[in-house]
Amino acid sequence: MNKAELVTAMAHTSELTKKEAQLALTSLQKVITKSLSEGDQVQISGFGTFALSYYPARTGRNPQTGEAIEIEGANKAVFKPAKALKDSL
């Protein structure tokens, strides 16, 4: 399911127009992005938690030359599903 299909499904299951559903989804994305960039996590009861996880620097290999390269550490967004979501799947 892509973003357009998600907006259509949101509009179909609620009493929102497609335009309103699009605005709601965009707003949700902005709020989650802002919270994560500030170091906070976003917990949605019954759905799951969006959080940052730090992956430390490590040594990797260039597959073409076999040369060792240093891969920088980075924060990555992770999603941990709630038990209710896991049980419904």
Side-chain angles (χ1 to χ4, degrees):
M1 176 180 284
N2 62 29
K3 188 173 180 178
E5 293 169 338
L6 179 58
V7 168
T8 301
M10 287 173 58
H12 181 70
T13 59
S14 66
E15 294 184 12
L16 299 174
T17 64
K18 280 189 180 182
K19 191 168 191 165
E20 292 169 336
Q22 172 78 35
L23 289 172
L25 181 59
T26 301
S27 169
L28 179 64
Q29 288 175 318
K30 287 179 182 179
V31 169
I32 291 173
T33 301
K34 185 173 188 270
S35 293
L36 290 178
S37 69
E38 294 172 351
D40 297 332
Q41 64 179 9
V42 178
Q43 185 174 5
I44 302 171
S45 182
F47 184 67
T49 303
F50 295 91
L52 286 180
S53 182
Y54 179 74
Y55 290 82
R58 61 188 172 89
T59 302
R61 296 246 176 240
N62 179 333
Q64 292 180 339
T65 64
E67 177 185 359
I69 57 172
E70 186 65 25
I71 300 171
E72 295 180 15
N75 282 321
K76 296 186 180 184
V78 293
F79 175 75
K80 182 179 178 189
K83 185 177 183 326
L85 178 60
K86 285 192 233 178
D87 291 345
S88 70
L89 302 177

